[in-house]
Amino acid sequence: MTSQEYWQYWLKYFNTIIAPSILATLRMLSASMVLAFVLGFALGIVLVTYGPKGLRPKKWIYKGVDFIVNSIRSFPIIILIVAMSPITRLAVGTTIGEKAAIIPLTVAATPFLAKIIENSLNEVDKQLIEAARSFGASDWQIITRVMVKEAIPSIVAGTTLSAISFLSATTLAGAVGAGGIGAVALNYGYQSFNNTILYTSVFILFIMVQAIQSVGNLLYKKIL
């Protein structure tokens, strides 16, 4: 095969298989991370508010939410994807495809982000919180105007790490029929002994990780 023939061969696979899978991966990752961030943020606020050193300590609420969060985190993602199949089918009518993958990926990412947000908010200087309270700020004002504001750099750094981790989770979702670049690497590359597709897919995943980390670093520097 000449060099020209090889690149024509590569371009054919890129246009028909790899490029659509890149878009599928980006859709799965972005949708699940946005949903997980919203849910994880709410759970993180609950954990910080009702935690042992929180604004309104309530042991039974904190223990209940913390138990749920830690229970979900204890499941390997591939097991969670399979175990949630009945719920996924009930929600979207199928267990295969991008929409079906977004639900377990969101459920898997939510407790991780909840813990990241809880830890970030707990790192805020207690003297700032006490100062805000002495000026008559409500709990909500302390959370939104003091704690979240001070914790944003830490939240950005943690969310960036989570996004990179769950990029690999889309590969696991691809293994059970969700599609994406990871599935292409496995099905068309590894299992079909097609090194061109395999290493192109791996290189694209490498670029995606670098891009996510670069965007996270840029946001972190701008916020600081």
Coordinates of all heavy atoms in Angstrom, one line a residue, residues 34 39 85 99 107 130 151 180:
V34 N -22.8 17.7 32.9 CA -23.6 18.9 33.3 C -24.7 18.5 34.3 O -24.9 19.1 35.3 CB -24.3 19.5 32.0 CG1 -25.4 20.5 32.4 CG2 -23.2 20.2 31.2
L39 N -26.7 18.0 40.0 CA -27.1 17.2 41.1 C -26.1 17.1 42.2 O -26.4 17.1 43.4 CB -27.4 15.7 40.6 CG -28.6 15.7 39.6 CD1 -28.7 14.3 39.0 CD2 -29.9 16.0 40.3
S85 N -29.7 -1.1 34.2 CA -30.4 -1.4 32.9 C -31.9 -1.3 33.0 O -32.6 -0.6 32.2 CB -30.0 -2.8 32.4 OG -28.6 -2.8 32.1
K99 N -28.3 8.0 24.7 CA -29.2 8.4 25.7 C -29.3 7.5 26.9 O -29.3 7.9 28.0 CB -30.7 8.5 25.1 CG -30.8 9.7 24.1 CD -32.3 9.7 23.6 CE -32.4 10.9 22.6 NZ -33.8 10.9 22.1
V107 N -25.5 9.1 37.0 CA -25.6 8.6 38.4 C -24.2 8.2 39.0 O -24.0 8.4 40.2 CB -26.5 7.3 38.4 CG1 -26.5 6.6 39.7 CG2 -27.9 7.7 38.0
E130 N -17.7 33.0 59.9 CA -18.1 33.6 61.1 C -18.3 35.1 61.0 O -19.2 35.7 61.5 CB -17.1 33.3 62.2 CG -17.1 31.8 62.7 CD -18.4 31.4 63.2 OE1 -19.1 32.2 63.9 OE2 -18.8 30.3 62.8
A151 N -14.6 28.9 47.1 CA -14.3 27.5 46.7 C -14.2 27.3 45.2 O -13.9 26.1 44.8 CB -15.2 26.5 47.4
G180 N -19.3 5.6 20.7 CA -18.3 6.5 21.2 C -16.9 6.0 20.7 O -16.8 4.9 20.2

